Amino acid sequence: KKNDRNRSYDDGFIRLASSQGGLGVVGDAAGVGPFGVETFVDFRGGYTDINRDATALESGFDGRALWGQGALTAELADNFALTGSVSYSAARGDFDAAVQSGGASGFKERNITGGVFALAALPLGADLTLDVAVGGFYGGGNGDIDRNFSTTRQVTYFAEVTGGAPGVPVPFIRQQVLSDDLAGSFDTRNYGFSAAASVSVPFHGFVVTPGVEFTWYSFRQDDYEERVTDAFSNGLALSYSDFKDRWTETRLGGAVSRDLGGLRVEGYGDLVLTGGASTPVR
């Protein structure tokens, strides 16, 4: 891993990178850290924009997400290293709440997660090495949801004049717009552990790297209670209890890369198998 990295990237080189979080930038640097230990610093970040049309199953949704991550790796030996990372993400979005029943008009969510992993390269032969990583992560965040409920209520009154000539009931129709602003907040916690292994094999000028990764997740959200402003009989506010969810992910996949002069071309793919998940109960 170290040799591949030093051959492919220059120290301090900034490059565009595509990732699950969207288009972003990555910066790498390497040097000698405290106690003479060689260290690697990695910064990456990205931005995602989502524009989803309304369907028969859900309302339209517009969303934006910004994320960033910093990692520090200390190479304690030629084949062993420790790495720590901190990541931050912020997402916000708006739902189509044009229907009279209202809905989640907008939301914001923030999360910060830290992780520690051990990396090792285990020799399997003259030019073959098994790369393994084992570690865990813990994070937390909070979110806000703003909803607006608006509808028109029509009331008809009938007045009849009595005491003189026979009267005919006269209808009086009154329309009133009801508008409720509702705001709620929640906290989240997520943690888990992960283990991965891969091996790089030269093949006709290419480097083929098959690998497997297993991750166990746990997620919890606390009670949710909405605050109501100008509510009509408080009948529109949402309230629900906390919930927990746990599941696993197993990734089977690999990457193929080739160096073309000063350019490195790489492609990868994986199959994701999930398990242990069940419908959370509120």
Side-chain angles (χ1 to χ4, degrees):
K1 292 296 185 181
K2 173 187 174 184
N3 292 336
D4 288 341
R5 178 171 186 159
N6 291 343
R7 184 177 71 249
S8 303
Y9 308 131
D10 294 329
D11 293 349
F13 186 62
I14 303 296
R15 61 190 181 277
L16 287 176
S18 179
S19 69
Q20 293 180 350
L23 190 65
V25 293
V26 175
D28 287 322
V32 178
F35 309 106
V37 178
E38 188 170 7
T39 59
F40 298 90
V41 181
D42 181 274
F43 295 100
R44 61 187 61 223
Y47 174 82
T48 303
D49 187 89
I50 301 173
N51 187 347
R52 182 177 300 168
D53 295 331
T55 67
L57 300 179
E58 64 181 2
S59 62
F61 170 79
D62 294 327
R64 298 154 297 281
L66 184 67
W67 61 275
Q69 176 179 293
L72 177 65
T73 302
E75 188 176 304
L76 304 180
D78 288 339
N79 61 346
F80 180 76
L82 291 177
T83 182
S85 66
V86 176
S87 62
Y88 174 81
S89 64
R92 63 186 306 161
D94 301 296
F95 288 92
D96 181 4
V99 296
Q100 289 189 346
S101 61
S105 302
F107 71 90
K108 294 182 293 183
E109 187 168 353
R110 300 154 293 272
N111 184 277
I112 184 169
T113 302
V116 177
F117 282 81
L119 313 174
L122 308 177
L124 298 179
D127 297 321
L128 200 61
T129 301
L130 176 66
D131 298 305
V132 297
V134 179
F137 55 90
Y138 181 87
N142 57 71
D144 303 288
I145 299 177
D146 297 319
R147 302 195 308 130
N148 178 267
F149 180 96
S150 62
T151 187
T152 301
R153 180 187 184 193
Q154 178 175 304
V155 181
T156 303
Y157 302 91
F158 291 91
E160 181 177 353
V161 179
T162 60
V168 178
V170 179
F172 295 90
I173 299 177
R174 181 181 180 186
Q175 291 186 340
Q176 182 179 3
V177 177
L178 301 179
S179 178
D180 297 333
D181 295 320
L182 308 100
S185 60
F186 57 89
D187 294 325
T188 61
R189 292 291 181 271
N190 63 91
Y191 58 91
F193 66 87
S194 182
S198 65
V199 60
S200 297
V201 181
F203 182 76
H204 296 289
F206 293 87
V207 177
V208 180
T209 307
V212 59
E213 181 185 63
F214 174 82
T215 305
W216 181 87
Y217 294 94
S218 178
F219 178 83
R220 178 175 180 174
Q221 180 177 309
D222 65 0
D223 297 345
Y224 179 82
E225 186 79 27
E226 286 186 343
R227 303 176 302 276
V228 186
T229 304
D230 296 331
F232 181 76
S233 74
N234 287 343
L236 305 177
L238 292 180
S239 174
Y240 47 79
S241 63
D242 66 338
F243 78 94
K244 301 176 183 178
D245 196 12
R246 295 183 174 90
W247 71 99
T248 62
E249 273 189 9
T250 302
R251 292 178 176 265
L252 306 173
V256 179
S257 64
R258 183 168 185 171
D259 290 326
L260 305 174
L263 178 66
R264 185 182 201 184
V265 180
E266 183 176 89
Y268 66 92
D270 56 15
L271 173 67
V272 182
L273 306 175
T274 60
S278 59
T279 302
V281 178
R282 291 191 181 278

